[in-house]
Amino acid sequence: MIDLKQLQCFIVCTDVGSFSEAAKVLYTTQSNVSKMIRALEKAVGARLFVRESRGIHLTAQGKHVYKYACKIIEEVGMLGDFSKGGAEEWLNVSSNPSSWFATRFTEFYNQHYGENLHCQVYTASVRSIISRVQECKDDLGFVYVMGSQEASFQYSLAKNHLEFVELVKLEAMLYLGEKHPLYGESKIDQAELGKLRFIQCYQDEFTENNYWMVKNGEGNYLTEMDVAVVTNSDYIMERMLKESTLANISGSYLSPNEKQTIEHGIPLEQESSQLMFGYLKREGETLGKTAQSFVDFLKNSLAVG
């Protein structure tokens, strides 16, 4: 018979990729973790993990079990909330790295502080966010997607029974590091553009890093940008731009201050330079009161900005 502790242990092991790390998270021993996983494997009649020297990863059957385990734990959590008479409000969201989003989320939380609001915020790639929303780990997933990748993006959503609600379109901007000689200029010629070294977010199949169409001084598209630093941290991104000569190409959402961002960003005015920003939700599902309130808050922020 399967119990909830086994499922919780299984989910934690999957998320951290190690029995020993899972034991730390669960405040137990590695031996107890191994016992619970063996018991769960016996109950479902299948091997769930492939064990290697570098850690563990799910088998094909394990991936199916993980999907349903997450849903079960989510439903049990909802039942627990009902039993408390709705005393606590929860908002579970994920987002691509973005200082603008972080600032808006903080503002929203402060506005609702007296309502006993509890939140979970997870930063990830578009692909990971699709999985998290599909598996009911998050109520909403906020993503930036290249307009040129919309067809591929929508195909992936359809497979996972998700839908995308666009909130705003953004143009690509070039941000020069404050130590760069051309920092503060309102435009840059193609020859100088081809000489730049960049700091970019990690590779994501639906976002900008693989698909910017940037021309060099000869008028040819750069097949490879000179990316010196790759990061998934907006904090690292902004620190590097403040204290180095590196440049960044992204949508006009880098800074929490939209007006300041526009002043210090140089529009690329090239092909394939448009981004969509919006949120993912499960297909046909009505948003809860708190989730809808957060979406409305962001819409208002974008309208004001």
Side-chain angles (χ1 to χ4, degrees), residues 214-256:
V214 180
K215 291 182 178 179
N216 60 19
E218 289 72 46
N220 300 316
Y221 287 114
L222 298 176
T223 55
E224 290 187 12
M225 294 165 55
D226 185 2
V227 180
V229 179
V230 178
T231 180
N232 68 344
S233 167
D234 54 300
Y235 176 76
I236 294 293
M237 177 78 71
E238 293 196 350
R239 292 294 296 181
M240 291 294 290
L241 290 177
K242 185 174 181 61
E243 300 179 14
S244 78
T245 61
L246 295 179
N248 169 260
I249 296 178
S250 53
S252 53
Y253 60 84
L254 182 64
S255 169

Side-chain angles (χ1 to χ4, degrees), residues 282-302:
R282 288 176 286 280
E283 197 173 65
E285 185 173 294
T286 302
L287 297 182
K289 179 181 177 181
T290 304
Q292 185 62 60
S293 178
F294 184 52
V295 168
D296 292 340
F297 175 83
L298 289 182
K299 286 181 180 178
N300 183 63
S301 297
L302 288 166

Side-chain angles (χ1 to χ4, degrees), residues 127-148:
R127 176 60 66 188
S128 295
I129 291 172
I130 287 174
S131 296
R132 290 183 63 84
V133 176
Q134 191 270 335
E135 294 166 0
C136 300
K137 289 184 176 181
D138 296 316
D139 306 311
L140 298 169
F142 293 87
V143 298
Y144 298 91
V145 179
M146 288 295 296
S148 60

